[in-house]
Amino acid sequence: DSAIRKRPAASVDEPVKQRVRRLAAHCQKYRGAIHSRAVWQMATTLVPLALIIAAMFATVRNAYWATLLLAFPAAGLLVRAFIIQHDCGHGSFFSSRTLNDFVGRCMSVLTMAPYGLWRSEHALHHASSGNLDRRGAGDIETMTVAEYQKLSAFGKWRYRAYRNSFFLFGIGVPAYFILIQRQPWLHALSAKDSWKSVLGLNIALIAFYGPLIYFFGVSDVFFVALPVVHIASAVGGWLFFIQHQFEETTW
């Protein structure tokens, strides 16, 4: 309250339309893609990621503790690769839709999130976010207090267990990226769109991981890839969660 009283009266009573125009003018300078920055962001993501993964393969058999330590910066870069995929899905990373889609699909081989399917589900999420009547598209299950109170004792336990941080980020989100994203029948889109996108990525994953398995073996690839993907998906899921779930959220 004291902070509000100290503000100039004009900032408190500023008409909504004037504030909207001011914010729009501020955001206008960030509109449009800058190709040089996009290429630089890809380079500063993919090159260090490749170097760290190479170091992980070099240590996986004789110093696995070092492999696990390297998994953390690798996971951070993998989250950044997903952000690039996200921006491509919004058509904002490059000015060309063809280039956005190409880069987005390339990133999806690393993130394990089918680009076409994710792009469509994410668009539904943006169209329905915060709308209680349109829940279920690319979001984390959220009930109202009244809905929760109507649940059985087991239903309440299931809901609380589902939203528990250790389960949601330790098991749920990683399982979603690694396992559920491989199943075309577990998504909200039409069967044709889901199958095309999911199976297309599954084939690309086989083409990507196949040579690695051939040269390094199943065990080495598993113990290098799993911690990176697990940490990255958990961190990404946490970022998504706190972006939408907080006390001041309005539904």
mmCIF file of all heavy atoms in Angstrom, residues 136-152:
data_model
loop_
_atom_site.group_PDB
_atom_site.id
_atom_site.type_symbol
_atom_site.label_atom_id
_atom_site.label_comp_id
_atom_site.label_asym_id
_atom_site.label_seq_id
_atom_site.Cartn_x
_atom_site.Cartn_y
_atom_site.Cartn_z
ATOM 1 N N GLY A 136 -7.460 -28.697 -21.404
ATOM 2 C CA GLY A 136 -7.051 -29.995 -21.913
ATOM 3 C C GLY A 136 -6.166 -29.981 -23.131
ATOM 4 O O GLY A 136 -5.674 -31.027 -23.542
ATOM 5 N N ALA A 137 -5.934 -28.809 -23.729
ATOM 6 C CA ALA A 137 -5.093 -28.738 -24.924
ATOM 7 C C ALA A 137 -3.710 -28.213 -24.533
ATOM 8 O O ALA A 137 -3.514 -27.022 -24.327
ATOM 9 C CB ALA A 137 -5.736 -27.824 -25.966
ATOM 10 N N GLY A 138 -2.758 -29.123 -24.393
ATOM 11 C CA GLY A 138 -1.389 -28.723 -24.120
ATOM 12 C C GLY A 138 -1.173 -28.062 -22.783
ATOM 13 O O GLY A 138 -0.292 -27.203 -22.644
ATOM 14 N N ASP A 139 -1.969 -28.423 -21.776
ATOM 15 C CA ASP A 139 -1.788 -27.809 -20.474
ATOM 16 C C ASP A 139 -1.677 -28.884 -19.393
ATOM 17 O O ASP A 139 -1.790 -30.072 -19.663
ATOM 18 C CB ASP A 139 -2.924 -26.830 -20.151
ATOM 19 C CG ASP A 139 -4.306 -27.487 -20.234
ATOM 20 O OD1 ASP A 139 -4.361 -28.728 -20.280
ATOM 21 O OD2 ASP A 139 -5.309 -26.754 -20.261
ATOM 22 N N ILE A 140 -1.433 -28.441 -18.173
ATOM 23 C CA ILE A 140 -1.360 -29.330 -17.019
ATOM 24 C C ILE A 140 -2.720 -29.321 -16.338
ATOM 25 O O ILE A 140 -3.305 -28.261 -16.116
ATOM 26 C CB ILE A 140 -0.247 -28.874 -16.062
ATOM 27 C CG1 ILE A 140 1.118 -29.044 -16.748
ATOM 28 C CG2 ILE A 140 -0.287 -29.652 -14.756
ATOM 29 C CD1 ILE A 140 2.272 -28.449 -15.983
ATOM 30 N N GLU A 141 -3.225 -30.499 -16.030
ATOM 31 C CA GLU A 141 -4.575 -30.619 -15.470
ATOM 32 C C GLU A 141 -4.733 -29.714 -14.253
ATOM 33 O O GLU A 141 -3.953 -29.766 -13.302
ATOM 34 C CB GLU A 141 -4.858 -32.068 -15.078
ATOM 35 C CG GLU A 141 -6.261 -32.274 -14.520
ATOM 36 C CD GLU A 141 -6.505 -33.697 -14.073
ATOM 37 O OE1 GLU A 141 -5.612 -34.544 -14.241
ATOM 38 O OE2 GLU A 141 -7.599 -33.965 -13.540
ATOM 39 N N THR A 142 -5.758 -28.876 -14.289
ATOM 40 C CA THR A 142 -6.035 -27.939 -13.207
ATOM 41 C C THR A 142 -7.533 -27.926 -12.936
ATOM 42 O O THR A 142 -8.329 -27.714 -13.847
ATOM 43 C CB THR A 142 -5.567 -26.515 -13.572
ATOM 44 O OG1 THR A 142 -4.173 -26.546 -13.902
ATOM 45 C CG2 THR A 142 -5.796 -25.552 -12.415
ATOM 46 N N MET A 143 -7.906 -28.143 -11.678
ATOM 47 C CA MET A 143 -9.318 -28.140 -11.288
ATOM 48 C C MET A 143 -9.654 -26.901 -10.469
ATOM 49 O O MET A 143 -8.781 -26.311 -9.832
ATOM 50 C CB MET A 143 -9.637 -29.382 -10.444
ATOM 51 C CG MET A 143 -9.594 -30.690 -11.188
ATOM 52 S SD MET A 143 -10.092 -32.054 -10.091
ATOM 53 C CE MET A 143 -10.062 -33.414 -11.247
ATOM 54 N N THR A 144 -10.918 -26.552 -10.475
ATOM 55 C CA THR A 144 -11.389 -25.528 -9.553
ATOM 56 C C THR A 144 -11.555 -26.168 -8.174
ATOM 57 O O THR A 144 -11.582 -27.406 -8.044
ATOM 58 C CB THR A 144 -12.730 -24.943 -10.005
ATOM 59 O OG1 THR A 144 -13.728 -25.977 -9.932
ATOM 60 C CG2 THR A 144 -12.655 -24.423 -11.437
ATOM 61 N N VAL A 145 -11.687 -25.344 -7.147
ATOM 62 C CA VAL A 145 -11.895 -25.866 -5.791
ATOM 63 C C VAL A 145 -13.180 -26.690 -5.738
ATOM 64 O O VAL A 145 -13.224 -27.772 -5.129
ATOM 65 C CB VAL A 145 -11.946 -24.709 -4.769
ATOM 66 C CG1 VAL A 145 -12.306 -25.243 -3.386
ATOM 67 C CG2 VAL A 145 -10.613 -23.979 -4.724
ATOM 68 N N ALA A 146 -14.234 -26.206 -6.393
ATOM 69 C CA ALA A 146 -15.508 -26.930 -6.376
ATOM 70 C C ALA A 146 -15.372 -28.291 -7.041
ATOM 71 O O ALA A 146 -15.912 -29.294 -6.558
ATOM 72 C CB ALA A 146 -16.583 -26.103 -7.079
ATOM 73 N N GLU A 147 -14.649 -28.343 -8.157
ATOM 74 C CA GLU A 147 -14.437 -29.626 -8.843
ATOM 75 C C GLU A 147 -13.638 -30.576 -7.970
ATOM 76 O O GLU A 147 -13.941 -31.776 -7.900
ATOM 77 C CB GLU A 147 -13.717 -29.390 -10.171
ATOM 78 C CG GLU A 147 -14.573 -28.710 -11.231
ATOM 79 C CD GLU A 147 -13.786 -28.290 -12.447
ATOM 80 O OE1 GLU A 147 -12.553 -28.115 -12.321
ATOM 81 O OE2 GLU A 147 -14.380 -28.141 -13.526
ATOM 82 N N TYR A 148 -12.629 -30.057 -7.306
ATOM 83 C CA TYR A 148 -11.810 -30.897 -6.443
ATOM 84 C C TYR A 148 -12.625 -31.450 -5.276
ATOM 85 O O TYR A 148 -12.505 -32.630 -4.919
ATOM 86 C CB TYR A 148 -10.617 -30.094 -5.929
ATOM 87 C CG TYR A 148 -9.764 -30.829 -4.922
ATOM 88 C CD1 TYR A 148 -8.831 -31.775 -5.341
ATOM 89 C CD2 TYR A 148 -9.892 -30.582 -3.557
ATOM 90 C CE1 TYR A 148 -8.047 -32.453 -4.420
ATOM 91 C CE2 TYR A 148 -9.122 -31.250 -2.638
ATOM 92 C CZ TYR A 148 -8.198 -32.194 -3.073
ATOM 93 O OH TYR A 148 -7.433 -32.877 -2.156
ATOM 94 N N GLN A 149 -13.468 -30.627 -4.687
ATOM 95 C CA GLN A 149 -14.248 -31.055 -3.526
ATOM 96 C C GLN A 149 -15.270 -32.138 -3.879
ATOM 97 O O GLN A 149 -15.696 -32.892 -3.008
ATOM 98 C CB GLN A 149 -14.947 -29.852 -2.896
ATOM 99 C CG GLN A 149 -13.981 -28.893 -2.217
ATOM 100 C CD GLN A 149 -14.655 -27.652 -1.691
ATOM 101 O OE1 GLN A 149 -15.768 -27.308 -2.109
ATOM 102 N NE2 GLN A 149 -13.995 -26.943 -0.780
ATOM 103 N N LYS A 150 -15.666 -32.221 -5.140
ATOM 104 C CA LYS A 150 -16.622 -33.239 -5.568
ATOM 105 C C LYS A 150 -15.968 -34.602 -5.800
ATOM 106 O O LYS A 150 -16.671 -35.600 -5.978
ATOM 107 C CB LYS A 150 -17.324 -32.790 -6.847
ATOM 108 C CG LYS A 150 -18.255 -31.611 -6.659
ATOM 109 C CD LYS A 150 -18.886 -31.198 -7.980
ATOM 110 C CE LYS A 150 -19.786 -29.982 -7.814
ATOM 111 N NZ LYS A 150 -20.375 -29.571 -9.122
ATOM 112 N N LEU A 151 -14.636 -34.638 -5.814
ATOM 113 C CA LEU A 151 -13.937 -35.890 -6.088
ATOM 114 C C LEU A 151 -14.058 -36.855 -4.913
ATOM 115 O O LEU A 151 -14.267 -36.452 -3.770
ATOM 116 C CB LEU A 151 -12.454 -35.616 -6.361
ATOM 117 C CG LEU A 151 -12.094 -34.823 -7.616
ATOM 118 C CD1 LEU A 151 -10.594 -34.571 -7.648
ATOM 119 C CD2 LEU A 151 -12.544 -35.555 -8.874
ATOM 120 N N SER A 152 -13.902 -38.135 -5.223
ATOM 121 C CA SER A 152 -13.813 -39.142 -4.175
ATOM 122 C C SER A 152 -12.469 -39.002 -3.475
ATOM 123 O O SER A 152 -11.592 -38.249 -3.923
ATOM 124 C CB SER A 152 -13.924 -40.540 -4.787
ATOM 125 O OG SER A 152 -12.809 -40.792 -5.649
#
